Amino acid sequence: MKEIVRAEPAGFCFGVKRAVAAILEALKTTEDGKAVWTIGMPIHNPQEVERLTAMGLCVASSAAEIPNGALVLVRAHGESRTVLKELKDKNVQIVDMTCPFVKRAQNLANSLSEAGYHVVLLGDREHPEIRSIMGYIEGASDVVADVEDAQKLAKKPQMALISQTTQQEELLASVAAVLVLRATELHVCNTICRATVDRQEAVRRLAGKVDGMVLIGGRQSANTGKLSDIAEENGLDVLWIETPSELQEGWFAGRTKIGIAAGASTPEWLIMEVCNKIARM
Ligand code: SF4
Protein backbone atom coordinates (compact mmCIF):
# COMPACT_ATOMS: atom_id res chain seq x y z
CA MET A 1 0.00 0.00 0.00
CA LYS A 2 1.43 3.36 -1.07
CA GLU A 3 1.28 6.44 1.10
CA ILE A 4 0.02 9.43 -0.88
CA VAL A 5 1.16 12.95 0.03
CA ARG A 6 -0.80 15.54 -1.87
CA ALA A 7 0.72 18.95 -2.69
CA GLU A 8 -1.55 21.71 -1.40
CA PRO A 9 -2.83 23.54 -3.32
CA ALA A 10 -3.13 21.35 -6.43
CA GLY A 11 -5.55 21.47 -9.35
CA PHE A 12 -8.02 24.11 -10.53
CA CYS A 13 -7.06 27.70 -9.73
CA PHE A 14 -9.56 30.48 -9.12
CA GLY A 15 -9.60 31.67 -12.76
CA VAL A 16 -10.15 28.21 -14.25
CA LYS A 17 -12.78 27.27 -11.65
CA ARG A 18 -14.66 30.45 -12.50
CA ALA A 19 -14.46 29.86 -16.28
CA VAL A 20 -15.55 26.21 -16.05
CA ALA A 21 -18.45 27.14 -13.73
CA ALA A 22 -19.57 29.75 -16.29
CA ILE A 23 -19.43 27.19 -19.12
CA LEU A 24 -21.48 24.69 -17.10
CA GLU A 25 -24.01 27.40 -16.22
CA ALA A 26 -24.26 28.52 -19.87
CA LEU A 27 -24.74 24.92 -21.04
CA LYS A 28 -27.56 24.51 -18.51
CA THR A 29 -29.35 27.78 -19.09
CA THR A 30 -29.02 28.78 -22.76
CA GLU A 31 -32.22 28.79 -24.73
CA ASP A 32 -32.85 25.77 -26.91
CA GLY A 33 -30.82 25.80 -30.07
CA LYS A 34 -28.34 28.47 -28.88
CA ALA A 35 -24.93 26.87 -28.96
CA VAL A 36 -22.21 27.69 -26.40
CA TRP A 37 -18.80 28.33 -27.95
CA THR A 38 -15.22 29.06 -26.90
CA ILE A 39 -12.33 30.03 -29.14
CA GLY A 40 -9.63 27.43 -28.54
CA MET A 41 -9.58 24.89 -25.71
CA PRO A 42 -11.27 26.57 -22.72
CA ILE A 43 -8.61 25.05 -20.45
CA HIS A 44 -5.38 23.16 -21.12
CA ASN A 45 -6.76 19.83 -20.03
CA PRO A 46 -7.98 17.51 -22.81
CA GLN A 47 -10.01 15.29 -20.43
CA GLU A 48 -11.97 18.22 -19.01
CA VAL A 49 -12.47 19.66 -22.52
CA GLU A 50 -13.78 16.25 -23.64
CA ARG A 51 -16.25 16.25 -20.72
CA LEU A 52 -17.46 19.77 -21.59
CA THR A 53 -17.77 19.09 -25.34
CA ALA A 54 -19.74 15.90 -24.56
CA MET A 55 -22.16 18.19 -22.67
CA GLY A 56 -22.59 20.40 -25.75
CA LEU A 57 -19.72 22.93 -25.72
CA CYS A 58 -18.44 23.82 -29.22
CA VAL A 59 -14.76 24.75 -29.61
CA ALA A 60 -13.87 27.01 -32.55
CA SER A 61 -10.34 27.59 -33.80
CA SER A 62 -11.05 31.27 -34.57
CA ALA A 63 -13.76 33.93 -34.23
CA ALA A 64 -14.56 33.46 -37.93
CA GLU A 65 -15.95 29.98 -37.22
CA ILE A 66 -18.53 31.19 -34.69
CA PRO A 67 -22.06 31.49 -36.07
CA ASN A 68 -24.15 34.63 -35.63
CA GLY A 69 -26.36 34.62 -32.55
CA ALA A 70 -24.19 32.13 -30.60
CA LEU A 71 -23.12 32.54 -26.97
CA VAL A 72 -19.32 32.85 -26.71
CA LEU A 73 -17.39 32.40 -23.51
CA VAL A 74 -14.05 34.20 -23.46
CA ARG A 75 -11.71 31.79 -21.67
CA ALA A 76 -9.48 32.64 -18.69
CA HIS A 77 -6.49 33.44 -20.99
CA GLY A 78 -8.51 36.30 -22.51
CA GLU A 79 -8.66 37.44 -26.13
CA SER A 80 -7.05 40.34 -27.96
CA ARG A 81 -9.09 43.47 -28.65
CA THR A 82 -9.14 42.55 -32.36
CA VAL A 83 -10.79 39.19 -31.63
CA LEU A 84 -13.30 40.81 -29.23
CA LYS A 85 -14.21 43.37 -31.89
CA GLU A 86 -14.64 40.60 -34.47
CA LEU A 87 -17.05 38.87 -32.07
CA LYS A 88 -18.98 42.07 -31.33
CA ASP A 89 -19.40 42.69 -35.06
CA LYS A 90 -20.98 39.25 -35.38
CA ASN A 91 -23.87 39.93 -33.06
CA VAL A 92 -22.97 37.14 -30.64
CA GLN A 93 -23.59 37.15 -26.89
CA ILE A 94 -20.22 37.45 -25.12
CA VAL A 95 -19.59 36.19 -21.58
CA ASP A 96 -16.11 37.43 -20.67
CA MET A 97 -14.39 34.99 -18.30
CA THR A 98 -10.92 36.50 -18.71
CA CYS A 99 -9.20 35.87 -15.39
CA PRO A 100 -8.87 39.17 -13.47
CA PHE A 101 -5.11 38.56 -13.15
CA VAL A 102 -4.78 38.29 -16.94
CA LYS A 103 -7.01 41.36 -17.31
CA ARG A 104 -4.60 43.26 -15.05
CA ALA A 105 -1.66 42.30 -17.31
CA GLN A 106 -3.68 43.36 -20.40
CA ASN A 107 -4.52 46.73 -18.81
CA LEU A 108 -0.92 47.35 -17.75
CA ALA A 109 0.33 46.48 -21.25
CA ASN A 110 -2.19 48.91 -22.69
CA SER A 111 -1.52 51.85 -20.36
CA LEU A 112 2.27 51.50 -20.42
CA SER A 113 2.42 51.22 -24.21
CA GLU A 114 0.13 54.25 -24.49
CA ALA A 115 2.52 56.09 -22.13
CA GLY A 116 5.37 55.42 -24.59
CA TYR A 117 7.07 52.41 -22.98
CA HIS A 118 8.55 49.67 -25.16
CA VAL A 119 6.73 46.66 -23.67
CA VAL A 120 8.63 43.42 -23.13
CA LEU A 121 6.48 40.39 -22.34
CA LEU A 122 8.11 37.47 -20.54
CA GLY A 123 6.53 34.20 -21.65
CA ASP A 124 5.78 31.87 -24.52
CA ARG A 125 4.91 33.86 -27.67
CA GLU A 126 2.59 31.10 -28.92
CA HIS A 127 0.63 30.90 -25.67
CA PRO A 128 -2.94 32.28 -25.93
CA GLU A 129 -2.45 34.43 -22.83
CA ILE A 130 0.60 36.17 -24.33
CA ARG A 131 -1.29 36.65 -27.61
CA SER A 132 -4.21 38.18 -25.71
CA ILE A 133 -1.91 40.57 -23.79
CA MET A 134 -0.08 41.52 -27.00
CA GLY A 135 -3.44 42.51 -28.42
CA TYR A 136 -3.56 45.40 -25.93
CA ILE A 137 -0.17 46.90 -26.84
CA GLU A 138 -0.30 50.04 -29.00
CA GLY A 139 3.35 50.48 -29.97
CA ALA A 140 6.51 48.40 -30.25
CA SER A 141 6.92 45.27 -28.15
CA ASP A 142 8.98 42.11 -27.77
CA VAL A 143 8.36 38.68 -26.27
CA VAL A 144 11.24 37.01 -24.42
CA ALA A 145 11.26 33.47 -23.10
CA ASP A 146 14.46 33.69 -21.06
CA VAL A 147 17.53 35.70 -20.06
CA GLU A 148 19.28 34.91 -23.38
CA ASP A 149 16.38 36.44 -25.34
CA ALA A 150 16.46 39.52 -23.10
CA GLN A 151 20.22 39.96 -23.72
CA LYS A 152 19.54 40.27 -27.46
CA LEU A 153 17.22 43.28 -27.09
CA ALA A 154 18.38 46.71 -28.24
CA LYS A 155 18.60 49.57 -25.72
CA LYS A 156 15.51 51.78 -25.33
CA PRO A 157 14.87 54.93 -23.29
CA GLN A 158 11.77 53.50 -21.56
CA MET A 159 11.02 49.81 -21.15
CA ALA A 160 8.21 48.00 -19.32
CA LEU A 161 8.49 44.33 -18.36
CA ILE A 162 5.25 42.36 -17.96
CA SER A 163 5.06 38.64 -17.28
CA GLN A 164 2.80 35.82 -18.40
CA THR A 165 0.93 34.92 -15.21
CA THR A 166 2.41 31.41 -15.04
CA GLN A 167 6.13 32.29 -15.11
CA GLN A 168 8.55 31.77 -12.21
CA GLU A 169 9.33 34.84 -10.12
CA GLU A 170 13.07 34.02 -10.15
CA LEU A 171 13.06 34.20 -13.97
CA LEU A 172 11.20 37.52 -13.93
CA ALA A 173 13.83 38.90 -11.55
CA SER A 174 16.69 37.62 -13.75
CA VAL A 175 15.18 39.13 -16.91
CA ALA A 176 14.57 42.43 -15.07
CA ALA A 177 18.26 42.45 -14.05
CA VAL A 178 19.24 42.20 -17.74
CA LEU A 179 16.77 44.83 -18.95
CA VAL A 180 17.72 47.38 -16.31
CA LEU A 181 21.04 47.74 -18.20
CA ARG A 182 19.20 48.19 -21.51
CA ALA A 183 16.89 51.05 -20.61
CA THR A 184 17.20 54.49 -19.09
CA GLU A 185 13.97 53.76 -17.26
CA LEU A 186 12.60 50.27 -16.57
CA HIS A 187 9.09 49.67 -15.24
CA VAL A 188 8.72 46.09 -13.92
CA CYS A 189 5.23 44.67 -13.32
CA ASN A 190 5.03 41.46 -11.36
CA THR A 191 1.95 40.00 -13.06
CA ILE A 192 2.68 36.43 -11.94
CA CYS A 193 -0.43 35.19 -10.20
CA ARG A 194 -0.46 33.82 -6.66
CA ALA A 195 -2.20 30.61 -7.76
CA THR A 196 0.84 29.77 -9.85
CA VAL A 197 3.34 30.68 -7.12
CA ASP A 198 1.37 28.70 -4.50
CA ARG A 199 1.36 25.54 -6.65
CA GLN A 200 5.10 25.95 -7.32
CA GLU A 201 5.84 26.33 -3.59
CA ALA A 202 3.65 23.30 -2.82
CA VAL A 203 5.83 21.21 -5.17
CA ARG A 204 9.04 22.53 -3.54
CA ARG A 205 7.66 21.49 -0.13
CA LEU A 206 7.36 17.87 -1.32
CA ALA A 207 11.10 17.68 -2.06
CA GLY A 208 12.88 15.32 0.32
CA LYS A 209 9.58 14.07 1.76
CA VAL A 210 8.50 11.62 -0.95
CA ASP A 211 10.11 8.88 -3.07
CA GLY A 212 8.77 10.39 -6.29
CA MET A 213 6.06 12.72 -7.54
CA VAL A 214 3.19 12.05 -9.93
CA LEU A 215 2.28 15.27 -11.73
CA ILE A 216 -1.18 15.40 -13.31
CA GLY A 217 -1.84 17.90 -16.08
CA GLY A 218 -2.27 18.52 -19.80
CA ARG A 219 0.84 18.43 -21.97
CA GLN A 220 -0.18 21.88 -23.33
CA SER A 221 -0.47 23.36 -19.83
CA ALA A 222 2.30 25.94 -19.29
CA ASN A 223 1.86 25.99 -15.52
CA THR A 224 2.06 22.17 -15.33
CA GLY A 225 5.27 22.31 -17.37
CA LYS A 226 6.72 24.79 -14.87
CA LEU A 227 5.77 22.46 -11.97
CA SER A 228 7.66 19.65 -13.70
CA ASP A 229 10.77 21.87 -14.10
CA ILE A 230 10.63 22.97 -10.46
CA ALA A 231 10.21 19.39 -9.22
CA GLU A 232 13.25 18.27 -11.20
CA GLU A 233 15.32 21.28 -10.08
CA ASN A 234 14.50 20.25 -6.49
CA GLY A 235 15.62 16.64 -7.02
CA LEU A 236 12.16 15.11 -7.27
CA ASP A 237 11.73 12.17 -9.61
CA VAL A 238 8.66 13.13 -11.69
CA LEU A 239 6.11 11.06 -13.56
CA TRP A 240 4.01 13.53 -15.63
CA ILE A 241 0.70 12.04 -16.70
CA GLU A 242 -2.57 13.27 -18.20
CA THR A 243 -4.71 10.26 -17.20
CA PRO A 244 -4.57 7.31 -14.76
CA SER A 245 -4.00 4.96 -17.72
CA GLU A 246 -0.44 6.36 -17.98
CA LEU A 247 0.53 5.16 -14.49
CA GLN A 248 3.27 2.55 -14.98
CA GLU A 249 3.65 -0.24 -12.38
CA GLY A 250 7.42 -0.26 -12.96
CA TRP A 251 7.84 3.39 -11.92
CA PHE A 252 6.33 2.61 -8.50
CA ALA A 253 8.71 -0.29 -7.71
CA GLY A 254 10.58 0.45 -4.47
CA ARG A 255 8.63 3.66 -3.82
CA THR A 256 6.34 3.78 -0.80
CA LYS A 257 5.64 7.49 -0.36
CA ILE A 258 4.23 9.15 -3.48
CA GLY A 259 3.73 12.90 -3.91
CA ILE A 260 0.81 14.11 -6.02
CA ALA A 261 0.75 17.50 -7.69
CA ALA A 262 -1.48 18.93 -10.40
CA GLY A 263 -1.51 21.97 -12.65
CA ALA A 264 -4.02 24.80 -12.32
CA SER A 265 -6.12 23.34 -15.15
CA THR A 266 -6.43 19.81 -13.75
CA PRO A 267 -9.94 18.99 -12.48
CA GLU A 268 -10.47 17.47 -9.04
CA TRP A 269 -12.26 14.39 -10.46
CA LEU A 270 -9.11 13.50 -12.43
CA ILE A 271 -6.84 13.96 -9.39
CA MET A 272 -9.12 11.65 -7.37
CA GLU A 273 -9.07 8.98 -10.12
CA VAL A 274 -5.26 9.03 -10.11
CA CYS A 275 -5.04 8.89 -6.28
CA ASN A 276 -7.49 5.97 -6.15
CA LYS A 277 -5.56 4.02 -8.77
CA ILE A 278 -2.22 4.58 -7.00
CA ALA A 279 -3.78 3.49 -3.69
CA ARG A 280 -4.77 0.18 -5.34
CA MET A 281 -1.28 -0.45 -6.82
S1 SF4 B 1 -3.29 30.57 -13.25
FE1 SF4 B 1 -3.73 32.53 -12.25
S2 SF4 B 1 -3.97 33.98 -13.94
FE2 SF4 B 1 -4.17 31.94 -14.82
S3 SF4 B 1 -6.35 31.52 -14.77
FE3 SF4 B 1 -5.50 30.69 -12.88
S4 SF4 B 1 -5.78 32.33 -11.34
FE4 SF4 B 1 -5.99 33.25 -13.38
Side-chain angles (χ1 to χ4, degrees), residues 13-16 76 99 101-102 129 165-166 193 195-196 264:
C13 61
F14 151 80
V16 169
C99 177
F101 301 119
V102 177
E129 183 189 309
T165 56
T166 46
C193 97
T196 303

Side-chain angles (χ1 to χ4, degrees), residues 234-255:
N234 283 273
L236 281 159
D237 203 359
V238 185
L239 177 64
W240 181 354
I241 59 164
E242 278 194 355
T243 66
S245 64
E246 292 168 63
L247 293 170
Q248 311 144 2
E249 287 275 358
W251 188 85
F252 289 89
R255 303 178 200 261

